[in-house]
Structures are given as structure tokens and as C-alpha cells.
Amino acid sequence: MSAVENSSAQVFTRQRAGWAILLFQMLAVAWGLDAIGRFQPFVVPDTPLYADYPIDSLEKALKNHRTPAYPLFLRAISRLSSGFQAVPAAHYVLYCVAVAFFFLGLLAIQQAPIRCALIAGTLLYSNVLLHFVNEVGADCLAASGAIACIGFVLLRLGGHFRWAALCGLALATFLTWLTRPAYLFLILLVPLICLTGRDRTSGTDHVALRWQRGAEVAVAMLLPLLAYCTLQWAVVGRFAVVSLGGYNLIGISGQFLDEDSLALLPEHLQPLGSQALQNRQRMADRLAMPDASRLNYLRMENQYDDHLWRIFVPAAEDVAGQETHDQINTQLKEMATAIIRLKPRDYLTWLAKAFRRGVEKIVTEFVLNPVSLLLFLLALVVMSVGIAQSFSGQQHPVTLSRQTGLLFILALCFAFMKLGVVILVSIPIERLTMPMGLFVPAVVMAFLTDAIPQIVSRRHALRHLDGTPPQ
């Protein structure tokens, strides 16, 4: 056998080993989820909104405040079993498919199958999967789409199947934000990562070529968005993804409205503002933390639902009469933006405090996950050993691979861009913050797979120099 054939056989064997490790983890996690009852469907308050989605009417569907991807998924799954019985299993299968794409992306950028399997496998132990796999809601499916999207990004950067990867990337991103509009930030994140990481097909790090490839990706991200918004405009007269932003934003900005600012509102919004203030006054004794500062974060978070559903929505319905959901959303959006223009400092204060709260939740989710916590503690031990070796003059500190650096940038941008999208219009509740740290454990595992072999090899080298035979 020639050297080339022998090398190819070794690569193939290592890839089979990587796939085997990843598949074993998928089966083990499936067994664990089944053992704790996570493959039994759990109906949540949003479930009827998806199950009763008006799929048979394009106009009604586009006017709905939910996007159509998850309702179509439920309709397809209902053909396989009665009710929602097959939904959790379908969630898990699609999640595993997404992890497999992520694994392929890692292979494309570093060609170390076992290492890639360990890094990709961390996604199987995420809180997102554990908490949402059995819920009949869009969260698990949207997270799967985001993972697949990042997998296609890595495939693109690895130079594998350039145009196929680009088409897969565009489709995965489109389906992800069409499942959960909170993932619209991927349209910005994906071109950013493609510019940050060097495309291996170029052979060099030529800036002009990177910008050209980044522009290709940006166009692929924007075309589906523009097409869908154009369809919305043509059918229902609204150039947007979904009719919900006004509802969400008024829960925050509505808390800034007071008697002094009422007269400063546009004249056509003053009746709505006046009715909202009357509603707030009537339920003043039922609002949370009434004695706290007006810009106290916990007060704003706890009063969010009240200001949205019990103060401003009823006020809009009373003032406007029997208006549709879309028309109510438009009124609330106008009111919310008008209040923010009057109270920009209050809104910026909210953003700063909500950002801090979101970061706290990301860290908390990471620490409360047993696998993530174990990886973190192991990383601390490895860093301590590496630092001790460095201080004792034993070689240089541990060096990280370019791939680990890329994963770090990816995880950081993913977390903070998703957090930014959330806090602009809503409070950072668990359902929205949990996916933010999705890729952080993968970064920790990448660090470990960089550092441990270096530390072990140095230890063996030093023993050899000291005349001590390696164990």
C-alpha cells in the first residue's frame, strides 16, 4: 500500500471513529431523555396558537402574529401520529441532524474527527434540548435550525461544497427565523463570521476575496428575508416578518409613560395614553413592587406582562373598538416608539440593566448545567497545570488553535447578538435567554482538546529529558 493510500485509510478510520463517538452520544442522550419522560409531549400556552394556525388561508396566515414554519411542522408530524405524540421524538431527531451538520462543519475547518465529535457532542447536553425537547412549541426546532446554520457557516469556511453550503446556509437561516423571529440576528451574524474566518478555498487571506465571499453570504441571507417581507406587503400591506413588535415593546416603554409626558405625545395617541394611565391607576394595588424606583429592573421585569396585557392592550381595544390584531399591534408600536422618543434616557437605562440581567442568566444557565459545569471545572484544572508548567520554565504557555479562536468569536457574537435582539423589545425571560449560551460549552471543550494534548506531550518530553521512561 502506498503512503498516500495509507494516509487516506487512516483519515477514513479516524472519521469513522468520530462518527461513532457522536452517534454513541446521541443514542445515550436519547436513552436518558426517554428515561426521565422527555419524549412525552408537554402542551404549553403557545401550543394552541401553533396548532390552530390558519394555514388554509394565505392572508390570515400572514396576518397572524406567529410565523408559519412551526405550524407547518406540527401539521406534518400530525400525519405520523395522533395528536402531538411524535413531536418530542421529531424534535430530537432534527436536533441530532443539526448537530451532525455542526460536526461536518468542524471537520471542514480542522480535520480532527475525534476532537470534532467531542466538541459537537457538547450541544447534546444543552439546557435548550433538556427543557424544550418535549414542549409543543418552537424553541427546540428553532435552536436546531441555528445549530445547522452555524454548521453550514463552518462548511463554507472550510471550503467544502462552496455553493451547496451557501444554499444550505440560506435555507437553514430562513427556516430558523421563520420558526422563531428572535433568530433574525443570524442574518447579521452569519456574514460577520464568514468575514472573520478565512475561507480555505482562497489559499490566502486576501482581504478583497474575503469581502467578496462575505457579500455572497450577505445576499444569500437577505434575499429570503426581502422575499418574505415583500409577500407580506403584497398580501396584507405590511413590509415586516410578523405583526408582534408593538405588543412586545409596549410592555417595556409603556412603563415610562406618566401624566407629564402624556400631553407631549402626538395628538392621535393621547386618547390611548390617557386610557392606559387610567387602567394603570385602577390596578395600582396589584402591580408588583409599587414602592420601588420607577427604573428598578426587577420592578420593570415583573410589571412587563401587566403593562402589556392588562393595561395597554385593553386600552388600545377600548379606544380603537373592534380592531384586528394587526391594527392593534400598529397602534401599540406607534405608542411605544413615541414614548421612547420622549424618554430616551429611560430606554437606554432599561437596555443597560437588561443586558446585565441577560449576561447573568447566560452564566447561570451555564453553571447550572452539570456537563457545562464539569467542563468548566476541568478547564480550570487544565489552565492551572499549564500556568504551573509555564512558571516552572517548562516550555511556553498552552497555545490555542485558530479553530478554537473562531468558535470563541462565534459563541460570543451569537450570545450577545441574540441578547441584543431580545432586550430591544422584550424582557430576557428564560425561554429567550437559554439558547444564548448554546455554543459556550463547545468553546470550553475546544480549549480542553487544545490544551490537554499539549500538557501531556510536554510532561512526557520532560520525563524523557530527565531520563525517566514515559509511562
Side-chain angles (χ1 to χ4, degrees):
M1 180 180 292
S2 67
V4 174
E5 291 175 338
N6 186 50
S7 176
S8 299
Q10 289 178 354
V11 170
F12 179 69
T13 300
R14 286 196 295 268
Q15 286 193 355
R16 289 179 63 182
W19 279 110
I21 291 171
L22 186 61
L23 181 60
F24 173 79
Q25 292 181 85
M26 290 176 177
L27 294 175
V29 171
W31 177 84
L33 291 173
D34 184 56
I36 61 175
R38 291 294 183 181
F39 285 140
Q40 295 302 315
F42 180 72
V43 175
V44 294
D46 282 352
T47 301
L49 301 177
Y50 294 117
D52 299 332
Y53 189 86
I55 294 177
D56 299 331
S57 169
L58 178 62
E59 182 177 359
K60 289 181 180 179
L62 293 178
K63 284 184 176 180
N64 197 276
H65 59 288
R66 297 292 177 185
T67 44
Y70 195 74
L72 289 171
F73 166 81
L74 286 183
R75 182 70 63 92
I77 295 301
S78 67
R79 298 178 182 275
L80 302 177
S81 65
S82 59
F84 306 123
Q85 197 62 36
V87 169
H91 281 168
Y92 185 69
V93 169
L94 291 176
Y95 191 93
C96 288
V97 170
V99 172
F101 277 117
F102 185 71
F103 172 68
L104 288 172
L106 291 174
L107 285 177
I109 64 171
Q110 60 190 28
Q111 299 295 329
I114 294 177
R115 182 175 188 261
C116 293
L118 294 174
I119 295 171
T122 60
L123 297 173
L124 296 169
Y125 310 102
S126 70
N127 288 332
V128 174
L129 183 64
L130 178 64
H131 286 269
F132 298 131
V133 68
N134 65 328
E135 288 192 4
V136 187
D139 297 282
C140 186
L141 192 63
S144 301
I147 293 170
C149 177
I150 299 304
F152 280 115
V153 169
L154 298 178
L155 278 169
R156 171 81 175 179
L157 291 176
H160 288 237
F161 315 108
R162 178 185 170 193
W163 291 107
L166 183 63
C167 293
L169 178 56
L171 180 61
T173 306
F174 170 63
L175 292 177
T176 300
W177 60 254
L178 199 63
T179 301
R180 268 285 191 198
Y183 284 89
L184 277 166
F185 72 93
L186 290 172
I187 293 174
L188 296 177
L189 174 66
V190 167
L192 176 64
I193 297 300
C194 288
L195 285 173
T196 302
R198 182 170 64 89
D199 189 332
R200 289 175 59 179
T201 59
S202 65
T204 64
D205 206 14
H206 197 275
V207 175
L209 184 56
R210 288 171 65 186
W211 278 100
Q212 177 187 337
R213 300 284 170 82
E216 290 175 359
V217 173
V219 170
M221 297 296 97
L222 287 173
L223 283 179
L225 176 65
L226 294 176
Y228 186 77
C229 290
T230 300
L231 177 64
Q232 286 263 3
W233 176 76
V235 176
V236 299
R238 178 187 64 242
F239 193 81
V241 172
V242 69
S243 176
L244 192 61
Y247 279 83
N248 290 334
L249 188 55
I250 200 64
I252 298 168
S253 60
Q255 300 186 49
F256 308 148
L257 183 66
D258 53 29
E259 293 289 349
D260 294 335
S261 55
L262 178 62
L264 301 177
L265 289 172
E267 185 175 350
H268 71 284
L269 294 176
Q270 290 183 15
L272 173 57
S274 177
Q275 184 62 49
L277 290 178
Q278 292 178 34
N279 291 348
R280 181 198 290 169
Q281 184 61 36
R282 278 197 296 268
M283 62 178 302
D285 58 335
R286 288 177 284 166
L287 293 175
M289 304 174 66
D291 298 327
S293 169
R294 184 171 59 89
L295 295 178
N296 179 283
Y297 175 79
L298 289 179
R299 176 185 183 275
M300 289 190 288
E301 184 179 270
N302 289 327
Q303 290 191 12
Y304 176 85
D305 282 340
D306 285 329
H307 274 80
L308 170 54
W309 299 112
R310 299 176 184 86
I311 294 176
F312 275 90
V313 169
E317 292 173 345
D318 290 343
V319 170
Q322 297 297 320
E323 298 276 346
T324 65
H325 169 93
D326 191 52
Q327 292 168 320
I328 294 295
N329 178 72
T330 300
Q331 292 184 58
L332 295 178
K333 186 175 182 179
E334 288 184 26
M335 172 62 77
T337 53
I339 294 172
I340 290 173
R341 291 193 192 99
L342 292 175
K343 303 278 189 175
R345 183 176 297 179
D346 289 357
Y347 185 62
L348 291 175
T349 300
W350 155 260
L351 291 179
K353 292 183 176 182
F355 180 83
R356 181 185 64 189
R357 177 65 168 171
V359 172
E360 290 175 357
K361 288 193 172 187
I362 293 172
V363 173
T364 301
E365 291 292 341
F366 180 80
V367 173
L368 291 179
N369 183 293
V371 175
S372 297
L373 180 59
L374 180 62
L375 289 175
F376 175 69
L377 295 176
L378 183 57
L380 288 180
V381 172
V382 170
M383 283 190 290
S384 300
V385 173
I387 292 171
Q389 285 186 349
S390 177
F391 282 167
S392 62
Q394 302 173 10
Q395 304 294 330
H396 298 289
V398 170
T399 57
L400 300 181
S401 65
R402 185 181 68 87
Q403 292 79 12
T404 298
L406 177 62
L407 286 177
F408 174 77
I409 293 172
L410 188 155
L412 194 68
C413 292
F414 185 94
F416 288 126
M417 290 181 75
K418 190 172 193 317
L419 176 59
V421 168
V422 170
I423 64 176
L424 282 173
V425 297
S426 179
I427 58 175
I429 58 176
E430 182 182 60
R431 180 178 298 276
L432 299 176
T433 59
M434 196 175 288
M436 293 176 187
L438 194 59
F439 295 98
V440 175
V443 176
V444 180
M445 179 60 81
F447 163 76
L448 291 173
T449 55
D450 273 345
I452 292 177
Q454 294 180 48
I455 291 174
V456 172
S457 64
R458 290 173 187 175
R459 188 179 184 88
H460 280 258
L462 287 169
R463 284 178 176 174
H464 178 69
L465 290 175
D466 291 340
T468 305
Q471 296 179 354

